[in-house]
Amino acid sequence: MKISIISIPVRDQEKALKFYTEKLGFIKKLDLPLEGGNRWLTLVSKEAQDGPEILLEPAPLHFEPSKVYQEALLEAGIPYTQFDVEDVQIEYDRLSKLGVEFSMEPMEMGTVKVAVFYDTCGNNIQLVEKI
């Protein structure tokens, strides 16, 4: 068994696509039209193009429990998911220059260094560096 796709709920797929590709550097893998103007929209890491895909899922627009869950996590300041990076400070500096809003600057927490940013589409995302 292996992970092939992980969903991230987004409020606007086009806005999310722009943010995740232009700011974070992911690459679009699939973009297939679905009913109601939605898309099966997946991204991959430049470093692992055959690896797990991120599905930019429009669930909060069509499934109230998803919207409630997403808003509760955001309000509590809890990250929806995390991305591993080699150096949190370098990513923090790079993303800050691109206008990405961080709610938590790089901070050491035991054996990791973390930072948290807002993805502009309803989610806090945590960056993690193993130290």
Side-chain angles (χ1 to χ4, degrees), residues 84-111:
D84 289 351
V85 296
E86 288 191 31
D87 189 312
V88 165
Q89 188 64 53
I90 289 173
E91 282 300 312
Y92 172 83
D93 293 342
R94 181 183 76 80
L95 293 172
S96 292
K97 286 178 186 174
L98 293 172
V100 174
E101 296 177 30
F102 281 81
S103 59
M104 176 197 245
E105 294 182 5
M107 174 186 294
E108 286 190 22
M109 303 176 107
T111 61

PDB file of all heavy atoms in Angstrom, residues 84-111:
ATOM      1  N   ASP A  84       7.372  18.882   3.946  1.00  0.00           N
ATOM      2  CA  ASP A  84       8.756  18.808   4.419  1.00  0.00           C
ATOM      3  C   ASP A  84       9.650  19.639   3.504  1.00  0.00           C
ATOM      4  O   ASP A  84       9.471  19.629   2.283  1.00  0.00           O
ATOM      5  CB  ASP A  84       9.254  17.359   4.428  1.00  0.00           C
ATOM      6  CG  ASP A  84       8.605  16.523   5.526  1.00  0.00           C
ATOM      7  OD1 ASP A  84       7.904  17.086   6.392  1.00  0.00           O
ATOM      8  OD2 ASP A  84       8.815  15.303   5.516  1.00  0.00           O
ATOM      9  N   VAL A  85      10.593  20.333   4.102  1.00  0.00           N
ATOM     10  CA  VAL A  85      11.565  21.130   3.354  1.00  0.00           C
ATOM     11  C   VAL A  85      12.947  20.869   3.940  1.00  0.00           C
ATOM     12  O   VAL A  85      13.072  20.431   5.086  1.00  0.00           O
ATOM     13  CB  VAL A  85      11.247  22.642   3.391  1.00  0.00           C
ATOM     14  CG1 VAL A  85       9.924  22.935   2.700  1.00  0.00           C
ATOM     15  CG2 VAL A  85      11.227  23.171   4.808  1.00  0.00           C
ATOM     16  N   GLU A  86      13.971  21.133   3.147  1.00  0.00           N
ATOM     17  CA  GLU A  86      15.339  20.936   3.643  1.00  0.00           C
ATOM     18  C   GLU A  86      15.729  22.010   4.642  1.00  0.00           C
ATOM     19  O   GLU A  86      16.460  21.739   5.591  1.00  0.00           O
ATOM     20  CB  GLU A  86      16.327  20.904   2.475  1.00  0.00           C
ATOM     21  CG  GLU A  86      16.223  19.631   1.673  1.00  0.00           C
ATOM     22  CD  GLU A  86      17.366  19.482   0.693  1.00  0.00           C
ATOM     23  OE1 GLU A  86      18.481  19.954   0.977  1.00  0.00           O
ATOM     24  OE2 GLU A  86      17.124  18.871  -0.359  1.00  0.00           O
ATOM     25  N   ASP A  87      15.260  23.254   4.433  1.00  0.00           N
ATOM     26  CA  ASP A  87      15.627  24.362   5.301  1.00  0.00           C
ATOM     27  C   ASP A  87      14.437  25.305   5.435  1.00  0.00           C
ATOM     28  O   ASP A  87      14.103  26.030   4.495  1.00  0.00           O
ATOM     29  CB  ASP A  87      16.840  25.098   4.720  1.00  0.00           C
ATOM     30  CG  ASP A  87      17.418  26.131   5.656  1.00  0.00           C
ATOM     31  OD1 ASP A  87      16.645  26.946   6.212  1.00  0.00           O
ATOM     32  OD2 ASP A  87      18.656  26.140   5.830  1.00  0.00           O
ATOM     33  N   VAL A  88      13.804  25.295   6.603  1.00  0.00           N
ATOM     34  CA  VAL A  88      12.617  26.114   6.831  1.00  0.00           C
ATOM     35  C   VAL A  88      12.936  27.603   6.684  1.00  0.00           C
ATOM     36  O   VAL A  88      12.150  28.354   6.107  1.00  0.00           O
ATOM     37  CB  VAL A  88      11.985  25.819   8.216  1.00  0.00           C
ATOM     38  CG1 VAL A  88      10.985  26.897   8.616  1.00  0.00           C
ATOM     39  CG2 VAL A  88      11.280  24.475   8.204  1.00  0.00           C
ATOM     40  N   GLN A  89      14.074  28.041   7.199  1.00  0.00           N
ATOM     41  CA  GLN A  89      14.396  29.463   7.129  1.00  0.00           C
ATOM     42  C   GLN A  89      14.530  29.940   5.681  1.00  0.00           C
ATOM     43  O   GLN A  89      14.026  31.005   5.325  1.00  0.00           O
ATOM     44  CB  GLN A  89      15.686  29.777   7.897  1.00  0.00           C
ATOM     45  CG  GLN A  89      15.981  31.267   8.018  1.00  0.00           C
ATOM     46  CD  GLN A  89      14.936  32.007   8.834  1.00  0.00           C
ATOM     47  OE1 GLN A  89      14.631  31.620   9.952  1.00  0.00           O
ATOM     48  NE2 GLN A  89      14.381  33.081   8.269  1.00  0.00           N
ATOM     49  N   ILE A  90      15.182  29.140   4.844  1.00  0.00           N
ATOM     50  CA  ILE A  90      15.324  29.507   3.434  1.00  0.00           C
ATOM     51  C   ILE A  90      13.958  29.589   2.761  1.00  0.00           C
ATOM     52  O   ILE A  90      13.663  30.533   2.016  1.00  0.00           O
ATOM     53  CB  ILE A  90      16.262  28.526   2.694  1.00  0.00           C
ATOM     54  CG1 ILE A  90      17.707  28.752   3.153  1.00  0.00           C
ATOM     55  CG2 ILE A  90      16.137  28.660   1.183  1.00  0.00           C
ATOM     56  CD1 ILE A  90      18.701  27.740   2.621  1.00  0.00           C
ATOM     57  N   GLU A  91      13.080  28.614   3.017  1.00  0.00           N
ATOM     58  CA  GLU A  91      11.736  28.633   2.426  1.00  0.00           C
ATOM     59  C   GLU A  91      10.922  29.795   2.973  1.00  0.00           C
ATOM     60  O   GLU A  91      10.183  30.455   2.230  1.00  0.00           O
ATOM     61  CB  GLU A  91      11.007  27.312   2.672  1.00  0.00           C
ATOM     62  CG  GLU A  91      11.455  26.202   1.768  1.00  0.00           C
ATOM     63  CD  GLU A  91      11.256  26.508   0.295  1.00  0.00           C
ATOM     64  OE1 GLU A  91      10.155  26.953  -0.120  1.00  0.00           O
ATOM     65  OE2 GLU A  91      12.217  26.322  -0.466  1.00  0.00           O
ATOM     66  N   TYR A  92      11.040  30.061   4.260  1.00  0.00           N
ATOM     67  CA  TYR A  92      10.341  31.192   4.874  1.00  0.00           C
ATOM     68  C   TYR A  92      10.764  32.498   4.191  1.00  0.00           C
ATOM     69  O   TYR A  92       9.921  33.313   3.811  1.00  0.00           O
ATOM     70  CB  TYR A  92      10.641  31.246   6.376  1.00  0.00           C
ATOM     71  CG  TYR A  92      10.118  32.483   7.057  1.00  0.00           C
ATOM     72  CD1 TYR A  92       8.798  32.556   7.479  1.00  0.00           C
ATOM     73  CD2 TYR A  92      10.948  33.581   7.276  1.00  0.00           C
ATOM     74  CE1 TYR A  92       8.309  33.690   8.103  1.00  0.00           C
ATOM     75  CE2 TYR A  92      10.470  34.725   7.887  1.00  0.00           C
ATOM     76  CZ  TYR A  92       9.154  34.774   8.300  1.00  0.00           C
ATOM     77  OH  TYR A  92       8.670  35.905   8.913  1.00  0.00           O
ATOM     78  N   ASP A  93      12.061  32.701   4.032  1.00  0.00           N
ATOM     79  CA  ASP A  93      12.567  33.915   3.394  1.00  0.00           C
ATOM     80  C   ASP A  93      12.087  34.017   1.949  1.00  0.00           C
ATOM     81  O   ASP A  93      11.627  35.075   1.504  1.00  0.00           O
ATOM     82  CB  ASP A  93      14.097  33.955   3.440  1.00  0.00           C
ATOM     83  CG  ASP A  93      14.649  34.112   4.850  1.00  0.00           C
ATOM     84  OD1 ASP A  93      13.897  34.536   5.764  1.00  0.00           O
ATOM     85  OD2 ASP A  93      15.844  33.796   5.053  1.00  0.00           O
ATOM     86  N   ARG A  94      12.179  32.912   1.205  1.00  0.00           N
ATOM     87  CA  ARG A  94      11.767  32.902  -0.206  1.00  0.00           C
ATOM     88  C   ARG A  94      10.282  33.210  -0.347  1.00  0.00           C
ATOM     89  O   ARG A  94       9.878  34.071  -1.143  1.00  0.00           O
ATOM     90  CB  ARG A  94      12.076  31.536  -0.832  1.00  0.00           C
ATOM     91  CG  ARG A  94      11.714  31.419  -2.313  1.00  0.00           C
ATOM     92  CD  ARG A  94      11.978  30.021  -2.850  1.00  0.00           C
ATOM     93  NE  ARG A  94      10.986  29.057  -2.442  1.00  0.00           N
ATOM     94  CZ  ARG A  94       9.783  28.910  -3.009  1.00  0.00           C
ATOM     95  NH1 ARG A  94       9.418  29.692  -4.007  1.00  0.00           N
ATOM     96  NH2 ARG A  94       8.939  27.985  -2.586  1.00  0.00           N
ATOM     97  N   LEU A  95       9.461  32.523   0.440  1.00  0.00           N
ATOM     98  CA  LEU A  95       8.016  32.702   0.343  1.00  0.00           C
ATOM     99  C   LEU A  95       7.575  34.072   0.851  1.00  0.00           C
ATOM    100  O   LEU A  95       6.654  34.679   0.292  1.00  0.00           O
ATOM    101  CB  LEU A  95       7.287  31.579   1.084  1.00  0.00           C
ATOM    102  CG  LEU A  95       7.451  30.183   0.463  1.00  0.00           C
ATOM    103  CD1 LEU A  95       6.864  29.121   1.371  1.00  0.00           C
ATOM    104  CD2 LEU A  95       6.837  30.130  -0.926  1.00  0.00           C
ATOM    105  N   SER A  96       8.220  34.569   1.890  1.00  0.00           N
ATOM    106  CA  SER A  96       7.896  35.907   2.405  1.00  0.00           C
ATOM    107  C   SER A  96       8.122  36.957   1.320  1.00  0.00           C
ATOM    108  O   SER A  96       7.314  37.870   1.150  1.00  0.00           O
ATOM    109  CB  SER A  96       8.730  36.234   3.634  1.00  0.00           C
ATOM    110  OG  SER A  96       8.350  35.403   4.720  1.00  0.00           O
ATOM    111  N   LYS A  97       9.217  36.820   0.568  1.00  0.00           N
ATOM    112  CA  LYS A  97       9.512  37.758  -0.525  1.00  0.00           C
ATOM    113  C   LYS A  97       8.451  37.692  -1.618  1.00  0.00           C
ATOM    114  O   LYS A  97       8.239  38.666  -2.338  1.00  0.00           O
ATOM    115  CB  LYS A  97      10.888  37.471  -1.120  1.00  0.00           C
ATOM    116  CG  LYS A  97      12.025  37.903  -0.227  1.00  0.00           C
ATOM    117  CD  LYS A  97      13.369  37.552  -0.831  1.00  0.00           C
ATOM    118  CE  LYS A  97      14.484  37.855   0.162  1.00  0.00           C
ATOM    119  NZ  LYS A  97      15.787  37.392  -0.319  1.00  0.00           N
ATOM    120  N   LEU A  98       7.776  36.545  -1.735  1.00  0.00           N
ATOM    121  CA  LEU A  98       6.714  36.379  -2.733  1.00  0.00           C
ATOM    122  C   LEU A  98       5.347  36.817  -2.203  1.00  0.00           C
ATOM    123  O   LEU A  98       4.340  36.675  -2.884  1.00  0.00           O
ATOM    124  CB  LEU A  98       6.642  34.915  -3.186  1.00  0.00           C
ATOM    125  CG  LEU A  98       7.843  34.408  -3.986  1.00  0.00           C
ATOM    126  CD1 LEU A  98       7.737  32.905  -4.211  1.00  0.00           C
ATOM    127  CD2 LEU A  98       7.940  35.149  -5.323  1.00  0.00           C
ATOM    128  N   GLY A  99       5.315  37.322  -0.966  1.00  0.00           N
ATOM    129  CA  GLY A  99       4.068  37.821  -0.393  1.00  0.00           C
ATOM    130  C   GLY A  99       3.251  36.804   0.369  1.00  0.00           C
ATOM    131  O   GLY A  99       2.103  37.076   0.732  1.00  0.00           O
ATOM    132  N   VAL A 100       3.805  35.624   0.643  1.00  0.00           N
ATOM    133  CA  VAL A 100       3.084  34.607   1.398  1.00  0.00           C
ATOM    134  C   VAL A 100       3.000  35.059   2.862  1.00  0.00           C
ATOM    135  O   VAL A 100       3.983  35.504   3.444  1.00  0.00           O
ATOM    136  CB  VAL A 100       3.777  33.232   1.285  1.00  0.00           C
ATOM    137  CG1 VAL A 100       3.115  32.209   2.189  1.00  0.00           C
ATOM    138  CG2 VAL A 100       3.771  32.769  -0.167  1.00  0.00           C
ATOM    139  N   GLU A 101       1.795  34.953   3.434  1.00  0.00           N
ATOM    140  CA  GLU A 101       1.552  35.377   4.810  1.00  0.00           C
ATOM    141  C   GLU A 101       1.800  34.223   5.780  1.00  0.00           C
ATOM    142  O   GLU A 101       1.169  33.172   5.685  1.00  0.00           O
ATOM    143  CB  GLU A 101       0.115  35.853   4.975  1.00  0.00           C
ATOM    144  CG  GLU A 101      -0.220  37.082   4.170  1.00  0.00           C
ATOM    145  CD  GLU A 101      -1.678  37.477   4.321  1.00  0.00           C
ATOM    146  OE1 GLU A 101      -2.279  37.218   5.388  1.00  0.00           O
ATOM    147  OE2 GLU A 101      -2.221  38.026   3.350  1.00  0.00           O
ATOM    148  N   PHE A 102       2.696  34.433   6.720  1.00  0.00           N
ATOM    149  CA  PHE A 102       3.002  33.443   7.752  1.00  0.00           C
ATOM    150  C   PHE A 102       2.352  33.830   9.069  1.00  0.00           C
ATOM    151  O   PHE A 102       2.414  34.982   9.478  1.00  0.00           O
ATOM    152  CB  PHE A 102       4.524  33.330   7.948  1.00  0.00           C
ATOM    153  CG  PHE A 102       5.202  32.502   6.902  1.00  0.00           C
ATOM    154  CD1 PHE A 102       5.524  33.040   5.671  1.00  0.00           C
ATOM    155  CD2 PHE A 102       5.507  31.168   7.153  1.00  0.00           C
ATOM    156  CE1 PHE A 102       6.144  32.280   4.699  1.00  0.00           C
ATOM    157  CE2 PHE A 102       6.123  30.393   6.178  1.00  0.00           C
ATOM    158  CZ  PHE A 102       6.441  30.950   4.948  1.00  0.00           C
ATOM    159  N   SER A 103       1.737  32.850   9.719  1.00  0.00           N
ATOM    160  CA  SER A 103       1.185  33.074  11.059  1.00  0.00           C
ATOM    161  C   SER A 103       2.172  32.610  12.126  1.00  0.00           C
ATOM    162  O   SER A 103       2.018  32.946  13.295  1.00  0.00           O
ATOM    163  CB  SER A 103      -0.146  32.332  11.229  1.00  0.00           C
ATOM    164  OG  SER A 103       0.030  30.943  11.027  1.00  0.00           O
ATOM    165  N   MET A 104       3.181  31.842  11.709  1.00  0.00           N
ATOM    166  CA  MET A 104       4.226  31.396  12.625  1.00  0.00           C
ATOM    167  C   MET A 104       5.556  31.434  11.895  1.00  0.00           C
ATOM    168  O   MET A 104       5.740  30.780  10.880  1.00  0.00           O
ATOM    169  CB  MET A 104       3.957  29.972  13.118  1.00  0.00           C
ATOM    170  CG  MET A 104       5.052  29.421  13.997  1.00  0.00           C
ATOM    171  SD  MET A 104       4.921  27.627  14.142  1.00  0.00           S
ATOM    172  CE  MET A 104       4.558  27.457  15.837  1.00  0.00           C
ATOM    173  N   GLU A 105       6.465  32.242  12.411  1.00  0.00           N
ATOM    174  CA  GLU A 105       7.809  32.315  11.852  1.00  0.00           C
ATOM    175  C   GLU A 105       8.564  31.045  12.223  1.00  0.00           C
ATOM    176  O   GLU A 105       8.152  30.313  13.136  1.00  0.00           O
ATOM    177  CB  GLU A 105       8.516  33.549  12.394  1.00  0.00           C
ATOM    178  CG  GLU A 105       7.876  34.843  11.929  1.00  0.00           C
ATOM    179  CD  GLU A 105       8.605  36.069  12.440  1.00  0.00           C
ATOM    180  OE1 GLU A 105       9.670  35.939  13.079  1.00  0.00           O
ATOM    181  OE2 GLU A 105       8.100  37.178  12.184  1.00  0.00           O
ATOM    182  N   PRO A 106       9.679  30.764  11.559  1.00  0.00           N
ATOM    183  CA  PRO A 106      10.436  29.550  11.872  1.00  0.00           C
ATOM    184  C   PRO A 106      10.753  29.450  13.366  1.00  0.00           C
ATOM    185  O   PRO A 106      11.183  30.420  13.992  1.00  0.00           O
ATOM    186  CB  PRO A 106      11.716  29.723  11.044  1.00  0.00           C
ATOM    187  CG  PRO A 106      11.276  30.528   9.867  1.00  0.00           C
ATOM    188  CD  PRO A 106      10.283  31.502  10.432  1.00  0.00           C
ATOM    189  N   MET A 107      10.488  28.258  13.890  1.00  0.00           N
ATOM    190  CA  MET A 107      10.666  28.010  15.322  1.00  0.00           C
ATOM    191  C   MET A 107      11.113  26.567  15.525  1.00  0.00           C
ATOM    192  O   MET A 107      10.547  25.655  14.912  1.00  0.00           O
ATOM    193  CB  MET A 107       9.343  28.249  16.047  1.00  0.00           C
ATOM    194  CG  MET A 107       9.352  27.881  17.516  1.00  0.00           C
ATOM    195  SD  MET A 107       7.713  28.032  18.263  1.00  0.00           S
ATOM    196  CE  MET A 107       7.466  29.793  18.161  1.00  0.00           C
ATOM    197  N   GLU A 108      12.119  26.379  16.359  1.00  0.00           N
ATOM    198  CA  GLU A 108      12.551  25.022  16.692  1.00  0.00           C
ATOM    199  C   GLU A 108      11.609  24.431  17.723  1.00  0.00           C
ATOM    200  O   GLU A 108      11.233  25.094  18.683  1.00  0.00           O
ATOM    201  CB  GLU A 108      13.985  25.026  17.222  1.00  0.00           C
ATOM    202  CG  GLU A 108      14.996  25.261  16.124  1.00  0.00           C
ATOM    203  CD  GLU A 108      16.434  25.029  16.576  1.00  0.00           C
ATOM    204  OE1 GLU A 108      16.659  24.302  17.567  1.00  0.00           O
ATOM    205  OE2 GLU A 108      17.329  25.579  15.913  1.00  0.00           O
ATOM    206  N   MET A 109      11.249  23.171  17.501  1.00  0.00           N
ATOM    207  CA  MET A 109      10.366  22.435  18.405  1.00  0.00           C
ATOM    208  C   MET A 109      10.931  21.020  18.522  1.00  0.00           C
ATOM    209  O   MET A 109      10.580  20.160  17.724  1.00  0.00           O
ATOM    210  CB  MET A 109       8.928  22.412  17.889  1.00  0.00           C
ATOM    211  CG  MET A 109       8.334  23.775  17.668  1.00  0.00           C
ATOM    212  SD  MET A 109       6.691  23.685  16.954  1.00  0.00           S
ATOM    213  CE  MET A 109       5.728  24.136  18.369  1.00  0.00           C
ATOM    214  N   GLY A 110      11.811  20.835  19.467  1.00  0.00           N
ATOM    215  CA  GLY A 110      12.422  19.522  19.639  1.00  0.00           C
ATOM    216  C   GLY A 110      13.335  19.181  18.478  1.00  0.00           C
ATOM    217  O   GLY A 110      14.310  19.878  18.221  1.00  0.00           O
ATOM    218  N   THR A 111      12.987  18.150  17.742  1.00  0.00           N
ATOM    219  CA  THR A 111      13.834  17.672  16.647  1.00  0.00           C
ATOM    220  C   THR A 111      13.447  18.238  15.282  1.00  0.00           C
ATOM    221  O   THR A 111      13.913  17.761  14.255  1.00  0.00           O
ATOM    222  CB  THR A 111      13.795  16.134  16.571  1.00  0.00           C
ATOM    223  OG1 THR A 111      12.437  15.727  16.328  1.00  0.00           O
ATOM    224  CG2 THR A 111      14.295  15.503  17.861  1.00  0.00           C
TER     225      THR A 111
END
